[in-house]
Amino acid sequence: MQTRWCVGLTIDPKFGHIYWTQKGPDNAGLGRIFRANVEIPAGQTAATRSDIEIFYDGLPEPIDLELDHKNRVLYWTDRGDPPRGNTVNRASIDNKPAEPEIVVTHLMEGIGIALDIPNDRMFVTDFAGSIYSARLDGSGERNFLYAQGNLTGIAYAEIHERRSDMIANQAHSPHRHHRHRRDRRELEPRCFSPRDCRSSRRTSRRTRKPR
């Protein structure tokens, strides 16, 4: 029954496909990644549909999935034993190689993954409580948070302020000539765990001299 446990899921809207992982028993080498159409074939049900195909099988324990829509590359974490486990892997979904490429190693049970494609980077969590960043090819890896509890998923987002709101905020600021605002603010990745982690930030405060 453990071979049927679905863990991660991502969608390819261009071709209308769903990709998902079924990790299998611990370190059994029975993990699989599947692909199917978003829409169930006419006259079939979720239990009887015939469009499900195995994208990869014989994996240690694949967990979370993310799709690079621009380059058509699927990324996933694997929490199984080395050498193929405790890794981040990737493979083209249009020209699937015989074996996926391992781009990050030595995770402590890798779980969550999020991609920032415009800035050529990924964010990864592991069950030991670390958050890593690296380029999409795995280079430049660094651990920028650790001992955060048993981390699971991670999400990355950017917020773009409207220009009119920015101007209004500046106009009402008593110290607007001292402030330099950007119309784009980047959110740090947030992770989800029993102990919700927050990046510690140093806040700078300006002290005003008495007149």
Side-chain angles (χ1 to χ4, degrees), residues 10-19 35-36 38 67 69 72 93-94:
T10 192
I11 295 177
D12 173 16
K14 182 176 180 179
F15 289 107
H17 287 148
I18 302 172
Y19 292 82
R35 174 168 61 190
V38 172
L67 181 60
H69 299 277
R72 311 284 298 157
I93 60 174
D94 297 329

Side-chain angles (χ1 to χ4, degrees), residues 15-88:
F15 289 107
H17 287 148
I18 302 172
Y19 292 82
W20 72 93
T21 61
Q22 291 180 197
K23 85 176 195 69
D26 294 351
N27 301 310
L30 298 177
R32 295 178 290 179
I33 298 177
F34 291 85
R35 174 168 61 190
N37 295 318
V38 172
E39 301 296 333
I40 298 175
Q44 299 181 19
T45 67
T48 64
R49 63 189 301 168
S50 60
D51 62 332
I52 298 174
E53 60 178 302
I54 297 176
F55 190 69
Y56 278 113
D57 64 357
L59 302 175
E61 291 183 64
I63 304 294
D64 200 9
L65 292 166
E66 278 288 309
L67 181 60
D68 174 352
H69 299 277
K70 178 182 178 181
N71 299 301
R72 311 284 298 157
V73 174
L74 185 68
Y75 289 76
W76 67 91
T77 54
D78 195 302
R79 66 174 289 184
D81 282 344
R84 295 193 301 148
N86 282 318
T87 55
V88 174

Side-chain angles (χ1 to χ4, degrees), residues 4-5 14 18 36-37 52-53 59 71 76 83 86 91 99-100 111 116 118-119 136 144 185 191 205 210:
R4 300 177 64 87
W5 285 352
K14 182 176 180 179
I18 302 172
N37 295 318
I52 298 174
E53 60 178 302
L59 302 175
N71 299 301
W76 67 91
N86 282 318
E99 295 291 335
I111 304 291
D116 175 16
N119 293 305
L136 294 177
F144 65 89
R185 294 180 302 170
C191 21
R205 298 182 179 178

Side-chain angles (χ1 to χ4, degrees), residues 6 25 28 35 37 48 58 62 67 72 75 80 87 91 112 121 129 135 160 166 170 202-203 208-209:
C6 175
R35 174 168 61 190
N37 295 318
T48 64
L67 181 60
R72 311 284 298 157
Y75 289 76
T87 55
R121 58 183 178 169
R135 297 186 184 92
H160 300 263
M166 184 191 71
Q170 287 180 331
R202 294 180 179 177
T203 57
R208 302 175 69 181
K209 295 182 181 179

Side-chain angles (χ1 to χ4, degrees), residues 1 21 24 32 45 58 83 102 127 150 158 160 163 197 211:
M1 191 64 180
T21 61
R32 295 178 290 179
T45 67
I102 297 175
F127 215 53
N150 298 137
E158 289 184 354
H160 300 263
R163 185 70 180 173
C197 79
R211 296 179 180 178

